[in-house]
Amino acid sequence: MIAKLCGANDLPDAGKMKTFAGRNGLQICVTQLEGKLVAFNNRCPHQGAPLSAGHLDGCMVVCPYHAWRFDVTNGKSENIADPDLETYDIRQYDDEVFVRLPNSI
């Protein structure tokens, strides 16, 4: 399912994160890396920490609770044994930003 997320003027500055409300309580975190938008679930798959309260280290988001690290471009955990972070396809068309959400949401 594709849904409008926000207006382009609501996007965070490069290197910053911003959270948007999705459907059914989903929180979508958005950032801009090297001019490209990326979107991912704001909840850490470990214990549900709000990743937007953490920080970015290059393309890695660092969880504020236990310092778990995830590549926001593909969701891969730094530790192969840990669960991956859910990421979402995000696109900007003129002044509107859209995100592709899983059908289960």
Side-chain angles (χ1 to χ4, degrees):
M1 166 204 252
I2 297 174
K4 181 178 176 185
L5 185 66
C6 65
N9 58 339
D10 294 323
L11 290 170
D13 293 332
K16 304 288 184 187
M17 295 183 283
K18 187 171 181 180
T19 304
F20 297 89
R23 297 175 47 125
N24 299 328
L26 176 68
Q27 292 185 7
I28 301 165
C29 193
V30 175
T31 189
Q32 295 186 57
L33 297 174
E34 298 176 4
K36 181 180 177 190
L37 289 173
V38 293
F40 53 94
N41 192 320
N42 189 46
R43 296 288 173 204
C44 178
H46 175 223
Q47 289 191 348
L51 292 173
S52 59
H55 68 277
L56 288 170
D57 181 12
C59 67
M60 304 296 282
V61 64
V62 181
C63 177
Y65 287 7
H66 299 106
W68 285 32
R69 296 166 52 93
F70 303 91
D71 185 329
V72 297
T73 65
N74 61 21
K76 296 293 182 192
S77 173
E78 186 174 64
N79 182 350
I80 197 164
D82 295 339
D84 291 336
L85 177 65
E86 191 168 15
T87 60
Y88 311 108
D89 186 30
I90 184 169
R91 304 282 166 99
Q92 180 177 339
Y93 297 99
D94 297 321
D95 292 336
E96 298 180 314
V97 179
F98 296 87
V99 65
R100 181 184 303 273
L101 300 173
N103 290 333
S104 59
I105 294 180

